């Protein structure tokens, strides 16, 4: 078998307003803007990457901010919630921070022995903050206003809404995620270890309507491959069960894509080379970076992109 998958690499969602998206994830959630680039398949539009200070796999939330994109409708065959982890003693801080910024917050009570806060971003994307015991050490954005001790520690995981979880569960087993708990119609699968994003929940609702992709919805989720060789081995393994794309060069990682039986688009992305490939760690996200094959058209690309202002906090409060 290939080297184990330890968790999520990134989650990619859709937004409609680039500046509003940038402000929310950097100024409210305290993530670092680790890369401003373009959608390689639609280079007249942005692709944003947010994460910890270095853009570590397992912390990366990315967006296609398509201006004027219609609001999506959540439903079956989609990601229902995206959850971040924080230390247990940080949940009160996050409750206050979100409420002070006018965000309705729902305390979802205990789920699999974890306390959960639920809220939505300005596009309606459903987010959660999970009190995760002794969460992993923080590597917070150097420009965030969130105190280091309360900084988001990457993903806890995602929740998929499915009509029937059997085939999806079987695929998760192939990928190294095994069922560890069940509460009502929610099943929890987890990879070995404690890497960020090592939990995938399934909510089963045979009567759920199908969703409609748009602003506020997740486009796909990506799992981690430790290197190119492991990705190729996983491509061969996954290809025994599902159609898999060829390897695609995304500059900061290599990708393959496949759709799980319930309809959610999955990706397997390599950890290397990472986001410091084409700019210093100290200035990640400050300038537009585009792949080499687009450089001859840089002027055309820049003319089509909205102007952005990146606000940096000088100290945590």
């Amino acid at each position: 078998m290939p080297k184990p998958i330890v968790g999520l690499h990134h989650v990619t969602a859709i937004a409609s307003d680039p500046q509003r998206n940038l402000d929310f994830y950097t100024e409210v959630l305290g993530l670092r803007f680790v890369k401003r680039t373009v959608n390689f398949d639609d280079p007249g539009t942005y692709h944003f990457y947010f994460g910890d200070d270095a853009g570590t796999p397992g912390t990366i939330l990315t967006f296609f901010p398509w201006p004027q994109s219609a609001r999506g409708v959540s439903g079956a065959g989609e990601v229902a919630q995206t959850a971040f982890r924080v230390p247990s003693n940080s949940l009160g801080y996050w409750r206050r921070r979100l409420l002070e910024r006018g965000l309705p917050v729902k305390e979802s009570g205990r789920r699999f022995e974890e306390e959960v806060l639920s809220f939505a971003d300005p596009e309606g994307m459903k987010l959660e903050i999970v009190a995760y015991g002794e969460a992993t050490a923080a590597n917070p954005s150097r420009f965030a206003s969130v105190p280091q001790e309360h900084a988001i520690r990457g993903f806890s995981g995602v929740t998929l809404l499915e009509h029937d979880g059997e085939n999806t569960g079987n695929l998760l087993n192939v990928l190294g995620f095994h069922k560890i708990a069940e509460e009502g119609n929610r099943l929890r699968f987890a990879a070995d270890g404690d890497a960020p994003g090592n939990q995938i929940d399934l909510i089963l609702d045979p009567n759920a309507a199908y969703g409609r992709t748009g602003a506020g919805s997740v486009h796909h989720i990506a799992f981690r491959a430790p290197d190119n060789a492991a990705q190729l081995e996983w491509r061969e393994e996954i290809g025994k069960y599902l159609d898999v794309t060829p390897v695609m060069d995304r500059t900061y990682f290599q990708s393959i894509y496949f759709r799980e039986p319930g309809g959610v688009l999955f990706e397997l992305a390599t950890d290397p080379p990472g986001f410091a490939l084409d700019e210093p760690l100290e200035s990640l996200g400050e300038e537009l970076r585009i792949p080499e094959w687009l450089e001859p058209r840089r002027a055309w690309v820049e003319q089509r992109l909205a102007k952005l202002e990146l606000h940096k906090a000088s100290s945590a409060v």
Side-chain angles (χ1 to χ4, degrees):
M1 285 292 291
K3 294 178 182 178
I5 293 172
V6 299
L8 295 174
H9 183 282
H10 65 267
V11 174
T12 294
I14 300 170
S16 65
D17 186 319
Q19 186 67 56
R20 181 173 63 183
N21 182 256
L22 174 61
D23 291 345
F24 180 81
Y25 285 95
T26 57
E27 296 181 37
V28 177
L29 294 193
L31 302 180
R32 187 169 186 194
F33 191 32
V34 296
K35 192 65 62 179
R36 70 172 82 189
T37 184
V38 293
N39 185 328
F40 289 5
D41 301 318
D42 183 14
T45 60
Y46 280 117
H47 192 175
F48 291 166
Y49 291 80
F50 304 97
D52 71 0
D53 197 60
T56 307
T59 74
I60 305 163
L61 178 60
T62 100
F63 282 90
F64 301 138
W66 289 322
Q68 310 306 317
S69 178
R71 182 68 63 90
V73 177
S74 61
E78 290 192 335
V79 174
Q81 292 102 23
T82 301
F84 299 103
R85 59 167 64 167
V86 299
S88 294
N89 61 2
S90 295
L91 214 60
Y93 168 84
W94 280 101
R95 184 187 301 108
R96 292 190 300 273
R97 183 177 179 88
L98 296 172
L99 289 172
E100 287 170 357
R101 285 157 176 78
L103 294 170
V105 178
K106 178 182 177 183
E107 298 189 43
S108 301
R110 300 191 72 82
R111 178 192 302 162
F112 300 122
E113 302 304 314
E114 298 168 347
E115 293 287 337
V116 181
L117 296 180
S118 300
F119 60 104
D121 80 356
E123 307 280 2
M125 180 177 172
K126 296 178 181 176
L127 301 172
E128 297 178 330
I129 290 179
V130 177
Y132 196 81
E134 297 301 319
T136 52
N139 183 24
S141 167
R142 63 193 66 197
F143 304 119
S145 63
V146 177
Q148 178 169 331
E149 65 269 23
H150 297 307
I152 286 171
R153 264 70 162 172
F155 293 118
S156 174
V158 294
T159 298
L160 314 183
L161 177 58
E162 305 277 359
H163 284 145
D164 183 339
E166 181 177 359
N167 291 333
T168 299
N170 290 339
L171 175 61
L172 290 173
N173 290 163
V174 170
L175 298 178
F177 289 73
H178 300 288
K179 182 180 171 184
I180 61 169
E182 181 174 350
E183 286 184 356
N185 67 337
R186 181 184 288 267
L187 312 179
R188 171 155 293 177
F189 293 76
D192 292 339
D194 195 34
N198 74 325
Q199 297 177 347
I200 306 294
D201 285 3
L202 305 183
I203 292 180
L204 307 183
D205 183 353
N207 300 314
Y210 284 103
R212 184 180 72 236
T213 301
S217 61
V218 170
H219 186 273
H220 65 268
I221 63 173
F223 297 90
R224 292 174 66 178
D227 51 42
N228 292 15
Q231 183 185 64
L232 290 174
E233 291 175 355
W234 273 113
R235 184 178 184 275
E236 182 177 355
E237 182 66 22
I238 295 165
K240 297 175 183 177
Y241 310 95
L242 298 168
D243 291 333
V244 188
T245 68
V247 175
M248 298 183 182
D249 184 358
R250 300 309 192 191
T251 302
Y252 311 107
F253 45 86
Q254 303 291 310
S255 298
I256 58 174
Y257 299 86
F258 52 101
R259 198 169 292 276
E260 59 90 11
V264 180
L265 182 61
F266 282 4
E267 175 184 353
L268 186 65
T270 58
D271 282 3
F275 294 101
L277 175 69
D278 57 359
E279 59 185 332
L281 181 63
E282 293 75 20
S283 58
L284 289 178
E286 295 185 12
E287 301 291 339
L288 177 68
R289 301 290 170 172
I290 60 176
E292 289 185 3
W293 57 268
L294 263 180
E295 281 294 346
R297 303 177 66 196
R298 175 175 280 272
W300 178 90
V301 170
E302 291 180 342
Q303 287 173 1
R304 283 155 178 76
L305 298 174
K307 302 299 181 185
L308 295 175
E309 185 175 358
L310 177 60
H311 305 109
K312 300 177 183 178
S314 57
S315 61
V317 295

